[in-house]
Amino acid sequence: MVRNIQKTEGIVIKHIPIGEADRIVSLISPSIGKIRAVARGSRKPKSKMGGHLTPISHVKLSIATTKTIDQITEVETIESFRKIKEDLSLLSKASYMAELAESFVQEENESKQIFYLLLKCLNLLQIVPDTEILIKFFELKLFSLSGFKPEMIICSECGIKLTPSSYKFNFESGGLLCSKCTLEIHSPGEKLSINSIKLIRFIQNENFEKISQLNSTKNLLDEIEIVISKYLKSILDKELKSKPFLDLVAKQTKHSIQSKKIR
Amino acid sequence: MENDNTTSNVITNLITEFSKLPGIGPKSAQRLTYYMVKITKDQAFNLSKAIAELKEKILSCSECFNITEQSPCGICSSETRDTSIICVVEQPIDVIHIERTGVYNGLYHVLNGVISPINGIGPENLKINEFFQRIFSLQIKEVILATNPSMEGEVTSMYINNFLSEKNIKTSVLARGLPIGSDLEYTDDLTLVKALEGRKLLE
């Protein structure tokens, strides 16, 4: 049987066991978007593929197209993100970013920008001290790349230019509302302070090198977090599965830092 | 599968039931069903009896959550076992594999799964809280984390370890490295790093 073999790179998102020793692996690739392919025998201890297909790994792979599900024939690790995998907090963040990216990528659809955004953020996650702002950077850039960029300059209902002030963020129209539209709309959304609005605009327009130099953004990030998670829910119409674990680990990390301080 | 008068309902029912089993597709289900037609009544009866008995007699141990016929299970109620050491595993089948080695004589705790953030499985879906309660009531001195060396297994180990590190309990994980009979050429970087880190002096 002549099979068409494609060579590509990808980031492993997740895998599920199937049959005696196989796995179905989900990946994001720059050239063909979301990939779902079976890795035969990858659960056997002596498998040549098993170790390379760990979630949150950047890999090079060959895929054979078959009549049913595609099959991974070869795989080799480019970057295994070892530091992420040895830290529970980083791992919970990486899982969240991977799941989020996967939700915005389609099968057989070129998704170079989202792929490289995820790759960049996973690399940054290993080195930057403030990973909270990195998550916000990732979310906001992802929105922009997939056509859901939050409107922060003009009113998302009537289009009037907004003067510096605090406004409500409307999840249906995906942007800020002017004070007139806020009064007219039944459920206008969540309030954002003037500084949070400025921070969102800054993250939308700048690269991470500049963003990481910002100081004391903790309170603003908490405010932005509420808006982003509600906005995300209204776009995807579902809760991300990795979110509760992300929140749980964040809570525990905060708790252990506090108890260390007390000691 | 549709009943088109050429296949009896009894056959179709059994095929449907077989194809619900893990790893059994519609073709294997058909093959098994037609094999069942050929076996003797006694064989068929023994099989159905064995399955029924399994559901009636097998239960989960109230201590370690391993599958057993009596609760607490043989290991938990044994007097010769070392009760100061406990091995945490993902599934009941892992207990069988560790027991087969014959080198471990402590207790077990079966989590019945692993934390998998991307599949929405958190610690609350597993027997982790029960484990934390158990180590205090048993006065455990050492915990061996024997989850699989997969990302999910590692997440679970790290989560448990984070809790234990505050409680002054010695915690270890199974060695990571090259499987016997494998090929260095095809080994991924992470495994090789772990194998180098965990290298052993030859005596």
Side-chain angles (χ1 to χ4, degrees):
Chain A
M1 188 171 63
V2 181
R3 293 189 299 183
N4 182 13
I5 297 208
Q6 295 188 70
K7 284 186 179 173
T8 181
E9 55 178 318
I11 297 170
V12 184
I13 305 298
K14 61 178 171 186
H15 51 59
I16 44 169
I18 183 168
E20 186 76 10
D22 310 339
R23 281 192 183 110
I24 291 186
V25 187
S26 296
L27 302 109
I28 296 179
S29 73
S31 50
I32 40 177
K34 199 190 303 196
I35 301 172
R36 265 184 98 243
V38 63
R40 299 243 179 259
S42 65
R43 275 157 61 214
K44 288 184 185 161
K46 289 177 197 169
S47 161
K48 291 170 185 172
M49 294 195 280
H52 296 277
L53 292 168
T54 321
I56 324 290
S57 298
H58 180 201
V59 295
K60 207 157 64 176
L61 71 163
S62 303
I63 299 169
T65 11
T66 65
K67 276 182 192 163
T68 51
I69 186 163
D70 293 352
Q71 197 173 324
I72 299 175
T73 53
E74 254 177 71
V75 58
E76 196 185 335
T77 310
I78 300 174
E79 165 68 57
S80 56
F81 299 109
R82 190 174 152 222
K83 213 176 151 196
I84 295 180
K85 285 171 190 159
E86 290 175 347
D87 184 311
L88 192 59
S89 165
L90 296 184
L91 199 50
S92 68
K93 285 172 180 141
S95 302
Y96 171 74
M97 292 202 288
E99 191 191 0
L100 189 55
E102 195 206 13
S103 326
F104 283 92
V105 173
Q106 311 289 321
E107 275 178 34
E108 288 177 27
N109 225 331
E110 193 190 279
S111 19
K112 262 192 192 131
Q113 287 176 310
I114 296 184
F115 174 83
Y116 287 111
L117 174 71
L118 178 63
L119 190 60
K120 182 184 177 179
C121 289
L122 290 176
N123 275 311
L124 284 169
L125 194 60
Q126 300 199 100
I127 47 172
V128 297
D130 186 359
T131 51
E132 293 297 319
I133 200 154
L134 178 66
I135 299 282
K136 297 291 153 276
F137 170 80
F138 177 76
E139 290 166 330
L140 287 166
K141 293 289 181 194
L142 186 65
F143 289 153
S144 303
L145 292 178
S146 28
F148 293 98
K149 183 179 178 182
E151 180 51 69
M152 308 303 284
I153 309 285
I154 55 172
C155 169
S156 55
E157 274 296 320
C158 67
I160 190 173
K161 195 164 187 310
L162 300 169
T163 51
S165 171
S166 79
Y167 292 100
K168 290 235 169 167
F169 186 92
N170 186 264
F171 304 113
E172 275 168 22
S173 56
L176 297 176
L177 291 182
C178 67
S179 23
K180 191 168 157 265
C181 290
T182 306
L183 292 173
E184 284 168 5
I185 287 178
H186 177 59
S187 54
E190 204 74 44
K191 197 181 159 189
L192 272 174
S193 70
I194 177 164
N195 285 335
S196 292
I197 294 173
K198 278 185 187 166
L199 182 58
I200 293 179
R201 283 181 192 160
F202 189 74
I203 296 176
Q204 282 177 335
N205 298 324
E206 294 298 338
N207 57 26
F208 191 75
E209 287 63 39
K210 271 194 180 167
I211 296 166
S212 60
Q213 287 163 10
L214 295 173
N215 296 328
S216 61
T217 49
K218 182 79 190 93
N219 292 342
L220 301 182
L221 287 179
D222 288 346
E223 201 180 311
I224 296 173
E225 156 71 18
I226 297 171
V227 169
I228 287 187
S229 68
K230 285 191 180 171
Y231 182 47
L232 200 56
K233 211 175 159 189
S234 78
I235 297 173
L236 298 176
D237 209 17
K238 64 169 187 187
E239 197 91 64
L240 286 180
K241 287 176 180 167
S242 52
K243 188 77 169 56
F245 189 68
L246 175 77
D247 294 341
L248 177 77
V249 174
K251 210 171 111 189
Q252 283 181 347
T253 319
K254 213 167 142 188
H255 174 77
S256 74
I257 290 171
Q258 275 171 353
S259 58
K260 272 178 194 158
K261 272 183 190 165
I262 293 166
R263 272 185 232 158
Chain B
M1 183 177 287
E2 281 193 18
N3 192 356
D4 48 7
N5 290 332
T6 52
T7 331
S8 96
N9 261 334
V10 183
I11 297 273
T12 339
N13 282 349
L14 192 57
I15 293 177
T16 318
E17 289 309 314
F18 272 132
S19 49
K20 286 177 189 166
L21 299 177
I24 303 218
K27 280 284 168 211
S28 309
Q30 269 181 23
R31 212 166 35 236
L32 283 171
T33 307
Y34 282 100
Y35 174 75
M36 292 294 164
V37 176
K38 283 190 272 177
I39 62 173
T40 63
K41 239 181 183 174
D42 274 356
Q43 276 176 304
F45 181 71
N46 285 345
L47 177 68
S48 70
K49 196 177 144 208
I51 297 174
E53 246 179 13
L54 184 81
K55 293 319 288 176
E56 274 165 23
K57 292 189 180 162
I58 293 295
L59 39 98
S60 170
C61 170
S62 59
E63 295 283 319
C64 68
F65 301 98
N66 192 7
I67 47 175
T68 171
E69 277 186 46
Q70 59 188 48
S71 181
C73 68
I75 296 175
C76 290
S77 53
S78 163
E79 283 176 6
T80 56
R81 288 261 166 179
D82 182 353
T83 56
S84 68
I85 179 164
I86 193 163
C87 179
V88 181
V89 294
E90 292 179 14
Q91 302 292 349
I93 199 155
D94 300 330
V95 175
I96 298 170
H97 287 295
I98 297 178
E99 278 298 288
R100 214 170 47 194
T101 64
V103 297
Y104 177 72
N105 192 36
L107 299 176
Y108 289 94
H109 189 90
V110 183
L111 297 173
N112 279 314
V114 264
I115 298 175
S116 174
I118 216 151
N119 292 315
I121 303 168
E124 68 282 358
N125 304 110
L126 311 171
K127 303 290 180 194
I128 289 187
N129 280 335
E130 287 85 347
F131 171 67
F132 291 153
Q133 285 164 11
R134 201 168 160 221
I135 47 172
F136 291 121
S137 59
L138 283 172
Q139 296 184 324
I140 294 289
K141 291 200 183 85
E142 183 181 348
V143 173
I144 300 174
L145 297 170
T147 52
N148 288 334
S150 61
M151 191 192 89
E152 290 83 359
E154 300 283 7
V155 172
T156 314
S157 282
M158 282 193 272
Y159 181 83
I160 296 176
N161 186 41
N162 273 6
F163 179 85
L164 296 177
S165 59
E166 291 177 4
K167 314 284 173 201
N168 272 336
I169 295 172
K170 200 163 99 185
T171 314
S172 55
V173 288
L174 295 187
R176 269 85 168 108
L178 303 171
I180 289 169
S182 69
D183 214 324
L184 201 87
E185 184 191 343
Y186 293 106
T187 311
D188 63 294
D189 305 353
L190 206 61
T191 309
L192 263 181
V193 170
K194 298 274 179 196
L196 281 166
E197 281 174 354
R199 68 186 188 279
K200 245 179 144 178
L201 286 175
L202 292 174
E203 283 161 14

